[in-house]
């Protein structure tokens, strides 16, 4: 035996031990790692925000469920692991498919390696149905066909979508002013999208609140809509007739059983309905406007979320209908207003024409009368004066005084008639407008008023004056009346009159300022009326026609005239003349 052999063996042995130890270490580490992974998996499973289930595809039973699954189905894990998905689903899905058949299709798809994601209605321990989004994935699980299902409740999401989508869409079409049938159609379609297989209808109440009228029902058969249109509401008249009558929600889970549907079973059978839930559409002032209804092809009780949806549907329909009625009322009110305005305008135009005609007649009359009166008045004045100059000594004092009254009266009459003639000439002898330098007009006026300027010592000044487009003789008359008044209605010292002109928008504003007695603001409007005088003739002579002539001239030129004045502080008369192209 070789002496080194035991040493080598020992060395080998040591090596093996070290190897084994390293392996054991490795194994222990691996074991710990495995334990960690399993722990992690369990934690993940337990705290997942969605419900997770492991489904044995062979037995059709769950082999593992997480606490969230227990919570949404309302059953403990021991109970859930004794059942399968179809024990937790209604017999039919809302779209009318048998749950078992539809479910098998997706299970097969998942077993073949697809990862289907789909909407599915489940039932909880209380028998309430609720919509979920389900994802199925095949899991590696030895020889067994195991699927992992993750289930998320989407009731809340659905409602949110309803609020966001439905409300926005419906309200937008209301705001756009879309016709009511279109808005109701959009509403019905939006809500149908939320519960696949469900069919919506909106019925309106007629003006008397007695009969149902078709509003919208995009998925309902035409014959059914026609049969309902015009139906008289009342207790037991189907779901909608009853709901409209009582103003209360009516849930008929199976129309073939329910007494409300006794008269309509055949109709429902032909249309293929089994469940019909109807919600009254109520206005803000609590009037029933119609009904919002949901139809299903299978018998069905609503769940909470569906009741929320039907209620929101009815509220949106109320908004649309009320908006439409307000719009209609507004349109009718507008129409009647427009009609009345048109009638009044016609009446006014006729009255204006009549006024114009009688004004013309009046002016003509004034002209003719004053013209024809001139002659006899002149005779009275002339012969009165002749009598006084030739036969005065044959008369006694009283007769002479009376003769003075006659001459004075004739004189005044002459003045009045001259002024009246001037007034009627504003329209009767109008001349075409022409470019007139206002400074020339003023020179003319000063020449005409020469004697009164001289007698009173009046001083007339002016700023730079523009060229205006006007009827020159009328402009002279206008300015002359204003300057003559400025000189006349003055008491102390020589009168001072100042003329200025400024540009205001599209016209010239001419102002005649004096430092005379001024005018109480109470009379600022009335002094432009005929024969309106504020003083007796003994104090200031005149006829009270001058300013009426001024106003008529300014109006004929398309401008306006007004006064600014306070008693004792002088007056400023302003008038405007629109700017015109000189011909
Ligand atoms: P008349 O000068 O013949 O009295 P008008 O029609 O020209 O008639 O004027 C009407 C009234 O307005 C005058 O009687 C007078 O009381 C008042 N009035 C007009 N212009 C002035 C003025 N510049 N200052 C004070 N009062 C005036």
């Amino acid at each position: 035996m070789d002496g080194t052999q035991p040493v080598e063996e020992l060395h080998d042995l040591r090596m093996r031990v070290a190897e084994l130890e390293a392996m054991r270490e490795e194994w222990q580490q691996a074991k710990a790692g495995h334990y960690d992974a399993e722990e992690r998996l369990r934690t993940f499973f337990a705290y997942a925000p969605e419900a997770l289930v492991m489904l044995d595809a062979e037995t059709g039973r769950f082999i593992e469920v997480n606490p969230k699954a227990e919570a949404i189905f309302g059953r403990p894990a021991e109970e859930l692991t004794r059942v399968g998905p179809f024990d937790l689903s209604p017999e039919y899905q809302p779209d009318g498919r048998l749950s078992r058949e539809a479910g098998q299709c997706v299970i097969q798809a998942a077993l073949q390696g697809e990862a289907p994601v789909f909407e599915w209605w489940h039932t909880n321990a209380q028998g309430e149905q609720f919509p979920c989004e389900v994802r199925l994935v095949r899991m590696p699980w030895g020889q067994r066909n195991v699927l992992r299902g993750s289930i998320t409740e989407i009731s809340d999401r659905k409602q949110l979508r309803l609020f966001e989508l439905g409300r926005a869409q419906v309200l937008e079409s209301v705001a756009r002013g879309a016709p009511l049938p279109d808005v109701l159609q959009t509403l019905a379609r939006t809500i149908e999208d939320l519960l696949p297989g469900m069919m919506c209808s909106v019925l309106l109440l007629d003006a008397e609140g007695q009969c149902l009228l078709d509003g919208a029902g995009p998925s309902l058969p035409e014959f059914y809509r026609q049969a309902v249109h015009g139906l008289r509401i009342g207790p037991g008249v189907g779901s909608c007739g009853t709901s409209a009558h009582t103003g209360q929600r009516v849930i008929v889970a199976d129309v073939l059983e329910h007494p409300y549907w006794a008269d309509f079973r055949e109709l429902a059978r032909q249309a293929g309905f089994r469940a019909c839930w109807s919600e009254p559409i109520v206005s803000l002032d609590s009037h029933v406007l119609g009904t919002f209804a949901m139809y299903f092809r299978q018998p069905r009780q609503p769940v909470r979320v569906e009741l929320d949806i039907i209620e929101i549907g009815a509220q949106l329909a109320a908004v649309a209908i009320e908006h439409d009625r307000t719009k209609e009322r507004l349109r009718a009110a507008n129409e009647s207003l427009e009609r009345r305005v048109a009638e009044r305008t016609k009446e006014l135009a006729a009255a204006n024409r009549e006024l114009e005609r009688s004004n013309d007649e009046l002016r003509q009359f004034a002209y003719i009368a004053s013209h024809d009166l001139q002659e006899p008045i002149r005779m009275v004045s002339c012969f009165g004066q002749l009598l006084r100059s030739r036969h005065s000594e044959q008369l006694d004092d009283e007769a002479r005084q009376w003769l003075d009254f006659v001459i004075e009266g004739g004189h005044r009459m002459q003045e009045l008639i001259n002024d009246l003639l001037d007034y009627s000439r504003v329209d009767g002898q109008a001349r075409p407008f022409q470019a007139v330098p206002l400074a020339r007009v003023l020179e003319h006026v000063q020449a005409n008023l020469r004697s009164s300027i001289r007698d009173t010592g009046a001083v007339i000044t002016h700023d730079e004056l523009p060229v205006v487009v006007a009827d020159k003789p009328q402009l002279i008359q206008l300015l002359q009346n204003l300057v003559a008044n400025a000189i006349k209605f003055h008491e102390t010292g020589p009168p001072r009159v100042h003329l200025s002109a400024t540009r205001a928008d599209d016209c010239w504003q001419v102002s005649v300022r004096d430092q005379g007695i001024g005018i109480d603001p109470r009379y600022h409007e009335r002094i432009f009326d005929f024969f309106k005088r504020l003083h007796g003739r003994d104090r200031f002579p005149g006829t009270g026609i001058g300013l009426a002539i001024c106003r008529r001239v300014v109006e004929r030129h398309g401008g306006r005239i007004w006064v600014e004045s306070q008693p004792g502080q002088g007056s400023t008369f302003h008038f405007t003349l629109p700017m015109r192209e000189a011909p």
Side-chain angles (χ1 to χ4, degrees):
M1 204 176 172
D2 187 347
T4 62
Q5 214 173 359
V7 178
E8 275 172 12
E9 268 181 19
L10 197 66
H11 178 73
D12 260 10
L13 217 59
R14 274 206 190 114
M15 288 291 288
R16 294 280 304 280
V17 168
E19 246 170 56
L20 273 174
E21 256 171 12
M23 275 171 71
R24 198 173 66 123
E25 181 92 338
E26 217 168 89
W27 179 79
Q28 257 170 357
Q29 271 177 10
K31 199 176 124 197
H34 176 71
Y35 180 76
D36 274 1
E38 207 177 282
E39 193 57 34
R40 269 206 301 275
L41 200 67
R42 184 157 299 136
T43 313
F44 168 73
F45 204 68
Y47 292 102
E50 72 268 53
L52 293 174
V53 294
M54 294 292 184
L55 172 68
D56 184 335
E58 307 300 323
T59 62
R61 295 218 182 122
F62 297 123
I63 44 179
E64 193 93 53
V65 297
N66 73 347
K68 180 71 186 184
E70 292 177 291
I72 70 167
F73 293 118
R75 299 166 200 261
E78 313 84 75
E79 202 181 317
L80 288 176
T81 47
R82 284 201 301 272
V83 299
F86 304 123
D87 302 305
L88 303 176
S89 309
E91 191 180 355
Y92 293 96
Q93 290 296 306
D95 58 7
R97 291 178 304 159
L98 267 172
S99 291
R100 196 166 285 277
E101 279 173 16
Q104 282 304 340
C105 286
V106 277
I107 289 176
Q108 284 311 316
L111 287 174
Q112 276 155 26
E114 287 177 33
V117 179
F118 52 95
E119 195 173 313
W120 192 261
W121 282 70
H122 282 110
T123 336
N124 62 17
Q126 288 76 44
E128 290 174 347
Q129 296 176 13
F130 55 96
C132 299
E133 187 179 85
V134 180
R135 296 161 180 270
L136 281 185
V137 193
R138 190 179 163 175
M139 297 288 288
W141 199 289
Q143 298 302 307
R144 292 164 81 182
N145 278 329
V146 171
L147 300 179
R148 191 198 68 200
S150 56
I151 304 165
T152 322
E153 267 193 281
I154 55 175
S155 320
D156 293 347
R157 247 199 272 166
K158 276 210 152 186
Q159 269 175 294
L160 214 66
R161 249 169 66 202
L162 172 74
F163 274 117
E164 283 169 6
L165 268 175
R167 230 163 67 134
Q169 261 183 36
V170 173
L171 297 181
E172 190 201 327
S173 57
V174 168
R176 256 202 339 259
L180 183 63
D182 292 3
V183 178
L184 297 180
Q185 173 106 345
T186 310
L187 169 66
R189 284 220 183 283
T190 312
I191 294 199
E192 283 176 354
D193 281 353
L194 291 159
L195 300 172
M198 181 274 289
M199 292 154 279
C200 274
S201 91
V202 182
L203 295 171
L204 308 173
L205 265 185
D206 65 359
E208 287 75 39
Q210 292 300 318
C211 295
L212 294 171
L213 303 175
D214 184 55
S219 307
L220 299 181
E222 194 53 40
F223 74 86
Y224 184 83
R225 291 175 65 174
Q226 276 174 18
V228 174
H229 185 73
L231 203 65
R232 185 165 278 273
I233 63 168
V237 182
S239 306
C240 295
T242 313
S243 167
H245 178 70
T246 58
Q248 302 291 324
R249 176 185 297 161
V250 172
I251 301 291
V252 172
D254 189 347
V255 298
L256 299 186
E257 305 287 331
H258 202 287
Y260 287 178
W261 280 74
D263 295 341
F264 308 103
R265 293 213 216 286
E266 192 41 44
L267 188 65
R269 212 182 321 245
Q270 281 173 19
F273 304 144
R274 284 299 291 274
C276 176
W277 314 332
S278 183
E279 177 87 14
I281 301 171
V282 183
S283 67
L284 280 177
D285 56 357
S286 310
H287 280 92
V288 177
L289 304 169
T291 58
F292 182 84
M294 290 181 172
Y295 291 83
F296 297 86
R297 297 197 181 283
Q298 310 302 334
R300 213 175 136 83
Q301 278 288 351
V303 295
R304 193 183 48 82
V305 62
E306 289 167 336
L307 291 179
D308 288 349
I309 292 176
I310 198 168
E311 203 179 308
I312 294 161
Q315 283 168 5
L316 286 174
V319 171
I321 296 168
E322 288 207 281
H323 181 81
D324 188 72
R325 301 219 165 142
T326 313
K327 214 168 64 183
E328 184 49 36
R329 274 200 296 274
L330 217 63
R331 199 190 53 74
N334 235 354
E335 232 171 46
S336 110
L337 200 70
E338 271 171 21
R339 211 178 33 245
R340 271 160 46 204
V341 168
E343 280 166 12
R344 289 281 172 285
T345 313
K346 230 165 93 184
E347 283 170 18
L348 215 64
N352 258 345
R353 274 197 305 277
E354 182 53 30
L355 201 69
E356 201 55 44
R357 198 187 55 76
S358 67
N359 262 349
D360 276 352
E361 267 178 15
L362 205 65
R363 277 193 286 268
Q364 243 170 340
F365 168 78
Y367 182 74
I368 293 168
S370 32
H371 190 265
D372 290 0
L373 278 174
Q374 267 184 324
E375 193 47 38
I377 296 297
R378 206 174 288 136
M379 295 218 351
V380 171
S381 295
C382 283
F383 285 100
Q385 273 161 9
L386 269 178
L387 204 61
R388 189 165 59 184
S389 60
R390 301 230 184 127
H391 304 287
S392 182
E393 61 283 0
Q394 289 148 317
L395 301 172
D396 62 17
D397 283 350
E398 193 178 45
R400 265 200 300 275
Q401 196 187 15
W402 290 355
L403 185 60
D404 283 347
F405 289 160
V406 169
I407 294 168
E408 170 61 15
H411 186 68
R412 264 168 49 202
M413 194 101 82
Q414 186 92 49
E415 266 180 12
L416 255 172
I417 282 179
N418 282 344
D419 281 356
L420 268 176
L421 263 177
D422 282 347
Y423 183 82
S424 51
R425 279 189 192 119
V426 175
D427 293 274
Q429 293 184 3
R431 301 252 194 101
F433 293 167
Q434 63 185 99
V436 194
L438 206 55
R440 292 292 90 69
V441 175
L442 184 60
E443 282 168 15
H444 226 104
V445 168
Q446 282 174 294
N448 290 350
L449 299 176
R450 199 181 305 118
S451 54
S452 75
I453 293 174
R454 194 188 46 226
D455 296 348
T456 57
V459 180
I460 299 175
T461 53
H462 64 88
D463 292 345
E464 196 179 328
L465 297 175
V467 174
V468 296
V469 175
D471 178 329
K472 189 175 172 193
Q474 288 188 358
L475 195 59
I476 293 173
Q477 193 172 21
L478 164 65
L479 218 55
Q480 186 166 318
N481 286 356
L482 295 179
V483 173
N485 279 350
I487 294 172
K488 179 167 64 173
F489 294 103
H490 190 276
E491 278 178 326
T492 46
R496 294 187 165 273
V497 187
H498 184 78
L499 244 84
S500 59
T502 52
R503 237 187 131 119
D505 294 333
D506 49 359
C507 58
W508 284 108
Q509 180 177 318
V510 182
S511 308
V512 180
R513 192 178 71 224
D514 63 48
Q515 295 171 357
I517 59 171
I519 306 164
D520 189 321
R522 276 182 298 167
Y523 304 113
H524 284 185
E525 288 284 336
R526 289 182 17 218
I527 51 169
F528 295 96
D529 291 344
F530 255 96
F531 306 126
K532 185 70 206 170
R533 310 197 69 244
L534 305 180
H535 315 279
R537 284 177 44 78
D538 44 339
R539 196 167 158 212
F540 298 105
T543 58
I545 298 178
L547 287 181
I549 294 176
C550 291
R551 185 169 63 185
R552 187 69 207 132
V553 169
V554 172
E555 278 171 0
R556 207 202 129 214
H557 282 74
R560 64 185 193 96
I561 185 166
W562 69 103
V563 66
E564 281 175 355
S565 176
Q566 287 295 335
Q569 293 179 18
S571 311
T572 306
F573 282 81
H574 305 277
F575 65 89
T576 59
L577 293 173
M579 304 229 179
R580 293 189 165 84
E581 287 285 316

